[in-house]
């Protein structure tokens, strides 16, 4: 007996898709390579905890302040009012989600995706079993490709899936130092400095007993390990014990198409749903898994392959505007240290601070204060046109 849906990938997007479909009574397989921990700052907003009923015990820290650091070392501390940023450790969080899918009825398979084959009897996923090394074939009606930024499913099956833009992210998990002026276990530091990253940013994110220190870039030839070492040195973290080192691509633009018009739909990083500018991906990956499951359910019920397009349509309807705004911000301010200096200066504005984190926590642009938006827009244009100098208070 085959499956209704075969999910390739057991990260947040694949696990949520498998769980949703299993709870709906579908026969589901979830194939995961196992043993890999994705490099990730680990931040999730309160909305993710609400929407996906995340056990509060999975949070290793609750961040209440974000510190923006400019190329000249200027600092802006932004309080996160009426909320927090939750931090998770991907080593444990992803497995937690996979176990939920398993408990809901999805069959967990451990191995590597090889290809999709089709014949008169239908669609088969060909994969290699990790334990035996043998090649296996699993019949299925639909495939959800949730296998990451360099998705083998996307490359083989979906137009444009082999040309997705991405940054390379690298981080080191270190033993957290005692609290000090340089390190606060309830504060995320975001470093906008061309010496750390010429086109993105560096970060120091507390994870309870540990911390994630890293950076990302699209620029070829940047030594990510050297840049991270420089970041650790400047932050007084060079002497902290290093627990592990990880690197991976992070996509920064949703694909124009998420399905192959037949029997495949993409989810999460495979579809490119990581927020530009911030690089936030966990929440959007989970949403991507949910809309992929919704589209799969619709197609299985109706028999219409066009229903697979619902995944991208639903996601972009709710989050497309935020992605476009963040892309514009990245294009405007990440080009040079002079622009980065202006961006951090702009973050001094109280309205910028409030609207930014209200939007982050609730995952939608805030429209309740039109005068604040107008004020921010004017200041933004003044900085971009160099009509004002970066100001510090």
């Amino acid at each position: 007996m085959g499956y209704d849906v075969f999910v390739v990938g057991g990260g947040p997007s694949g696990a949520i898709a498998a769980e949703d479909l299993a709870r709906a009574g579908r026969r589901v397989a979830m194939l995961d390579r196992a043993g890999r921990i994705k490099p990730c700052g680990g931040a999730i907003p309160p909305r993710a905890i609400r929407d996906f009923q995340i056990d509060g015990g999975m949070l290793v820290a609750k961040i209440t302040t974000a510190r923006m650091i400019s190329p000249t070392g200027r600092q802006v501390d932004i309080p996160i009012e009426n909320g927090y940023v939750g931090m998770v450790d991907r080593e444990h969080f992803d497995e937690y989600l996979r176990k939920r899918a398993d408990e809901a009825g999805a069959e967990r398979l451990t191995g590597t995706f090889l290809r999709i084959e089709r014949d008169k009897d239908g669609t088969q996923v060909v994969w290699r079993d990790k334990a035996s090394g043998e090649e296996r074939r699993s019949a299925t009606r639909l495939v959800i490709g949730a296998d990451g930024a360099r998705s083998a499913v996307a490359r083989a099956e979906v137009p444009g899936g082999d040309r997705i833009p991405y940054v390379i992210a690298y981080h080191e998990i270190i033993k957290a130092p005692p609290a000090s002026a340089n390190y606060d276990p309830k504060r995320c530091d975001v470093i906008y400095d061309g010496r750390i990253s010429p086109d993105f940013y560096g970060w120091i994110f507390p994870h309870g007993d540990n911390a994630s220190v890293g950076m990302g870039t699209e620029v070829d030839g940047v030594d990510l390990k050297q840049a991270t070492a420089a970041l650790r040195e400047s932050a007084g973290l060079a002497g902290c014990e290093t627990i592990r080192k990880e690197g991976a691509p992070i996509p920064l633009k949703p694909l124009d198409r998420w399905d192959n018009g037949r029997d495949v739909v993409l989810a999460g990083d495979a579809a490119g749903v990581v927020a530009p500018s911030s690089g936030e991906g966990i929440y959007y990956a989970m949403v991507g898994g949910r809309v992929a499951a919704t589209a799969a359910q619709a197609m299985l019920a109706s028999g219409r392959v066009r229903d697979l397009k619902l995944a991208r349509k639903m996601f972009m309807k709710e989050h497309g505007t935020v992605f476009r705004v963040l892309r514009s911000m990245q294009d405007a301010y990440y080009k040079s240290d002079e622009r980065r200096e202006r961006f951090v200066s702009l973050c001094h504005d109280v309205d910028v601070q409030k609207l930014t984190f209200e939007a982050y926590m609730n995952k939608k642009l805030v429209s309740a204060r039109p005068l604040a938006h107008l004020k921010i827009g004017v200041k933004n244009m003044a900085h971009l046109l160099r009509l004002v100098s970066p100001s510090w208070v």
Side-chain angles (χ1 to χ4, degrees), residues 234-315:
S234 66
L237 302 174
C240 295
E241 177 188 351
T242 301
I243 297 171
R244 64 178 189 264
K245 303 177 180 181
E246 300 157 347
I250 297 178
L252 290 181
K253 185 178 185 298
L255 288 175
D256 293 332
R257 183 170 175 177
W258 293 7
D259 69 280
N260 68 348
R262 183 175 183 177
D263 54 8
V264 172
V265 64
L266 304 178
D269 282 14
V273 293
V274 175
S277 180
S278 68
E280 181 193 358
I282 300 176
Y283 170 75
Y284 293 114
M286 295 166 78
V287 173
R290 178 148 291 171
V291 296
T294 302
Q297 275 279 76
M299 189 272 183
L300 291 170
S302 69
R304 299 188 300 260
V305 294
R306 67 175 181 269
D307 285 345
L308 293 178
K309 297 186 182 302
L310 285 171
R312 188 180 191 280
K313 184 177 180 180
M314 292 170 63
F315 185 94

Side-chain angles (χ1 to χ4, degrees), residues 3 5-10 28-34 98 102 106-113 125 127-131 136-139:
Y3 301 102
V5 184
F6 193 103
V7 181
V8 179
V28 184
M30 178 179 63
L31 176 68
D32 186 63
R33 287 187 293 175
R98 287 190 287 268
D102 177 54
E107 181 178 352
R108 290 184 64 172
L109 305 174
T110 304
T112 306
F113 169 82
V125 175
W127 55 284
R128 189 174 305 284
D129 180 70
K130 183 175 182 178
R136 303 282 177 86
R137 283 171 168 76
S138 298

Side-chain angles (χ1 to χ4, degrees), residues 55 85 100 110 146 194 220 232 265 281 290:
D55 185 340
V85 177
R100 289 199 340 182
T110 304
D220 290 335
R232 288 182 61 172
V265 64
R290 178 148 291 171

Side-chain angles (χ1 to χ4, degrees), residues 51-307:
D51 287 1
F52 298 98
Q53 294 82 51
I54 302 302
D55 185 340
M58 293 307 302
L59 300 183
V60 294
K62 288 186 177 181
I63 302 303
T64 55
T65 304
R67 172 171 288 183
M68 308 298 187
I69 303 175
S70 80
T72 61
R74 303 278 189 169
Q75 301 175 354
V76 180
D77 283 6
I78 304 177
I80 303 172
E81 297 180 354
N82 304 315
Y84 61 89
V85 177
M87 306 302 295
V88 298
D89 187 329
R90 292 293 298 271
E91 179 181 10
H92 305 296
F93 183 69
D94 289 15
E95 179 59 18
Y96 160 76
L97 295 178
R98 287 190 287 268
K99 285 183 177 178
R100 289 199 340 182
D102 177 54
E103 291 166 359
E107 181 178 352
R108 290 184 64 172
L109 305 174
T110 304
T112 306
F113 169 82
L114 298 176
R115 61 190 178 275
I116 295 174
E117 294 183 350
R118 300 174 181 88
D119 55 29
K120 60 182 179 60
D121 296 322
T123 301
Q124 290 189 334
V125 175
V126 184
W127 55 284
R128 189 174 305 284
D129 180 70
K130 183 175 182 178
S132 67
E134 296 177 355
E135 195 171 286
R136 303 282 177 86
R137 283 171 168 76
S138 298
T140 186
R141 296 175 64 186
L142 286 175
V143 177
I144 292 179
D147 51 334
R150 290 173 173 163
S151 166
V153 176
R155 288 199 305 270
E157 296 291 335
V158 178
D162 57 342
R163 299 187 300 275
I164 187 168
Y166 55 82
V167 302
I168 297 296
Y170 172 82
H171 80 157
E172 296 177 0
I173 297 294
I174 65 171
K175 193 71 175 175
S180 67
N182 289 329
Y183 181 83
D184 184 336
K186 293 186 178 181
R187 186 189 71 219
C188 282
D189 291 359
V190 185
I191 300 91
Y192 297 97
D193 186 338
R195 292 167 295 184
I196 302 301
S197 171
D199 60 328
F200 207 55
Y201 63 81
W203 67 82
I204 302 170
F205 289 174
H207 282 196
D209 293 337
N210 302 327
S212 164
V213 184
M215 52 77 69
T217 182
E218 284 186 81
V219 179
D220 290 335
V222 175
D223 189 325
L224 283 75
K225 292 183 179 180
Q226 183 177 3
T228 302
L231 174 56
R232 288 182 61 172
E233 181 70 33
S234 66
L237 302 174
C240 295
E241 177 188 351
T242 301
I243 297 171
R244 64 178 189 264
K245 303 177 180 181
E246 300 157 347
I250 297 178
L252 290 181
K253 185 178 185 298
L255 288 175
D256 293 332
R257 183 170 175 177
W258 293 7
D259 69 280
N260 68 348
R262 183 175 183 177
D263 54 8
V264 172
V265 64
L266 304 178
D269 282 14
V273 293
V274 175
S277 180
S278 68
E280 181 193 358
I282 300 176
Y283 170 75
Y284 293 114
M286 295 166 78
V287 173
R290 178 148 291 171
V291 296
T294 302
Q297 275 279 76
M299 189 272 183
L300 291 170
S302 69
R304 299 188 300 260
V305 294
R306 67 175 181 269
D307 285 345

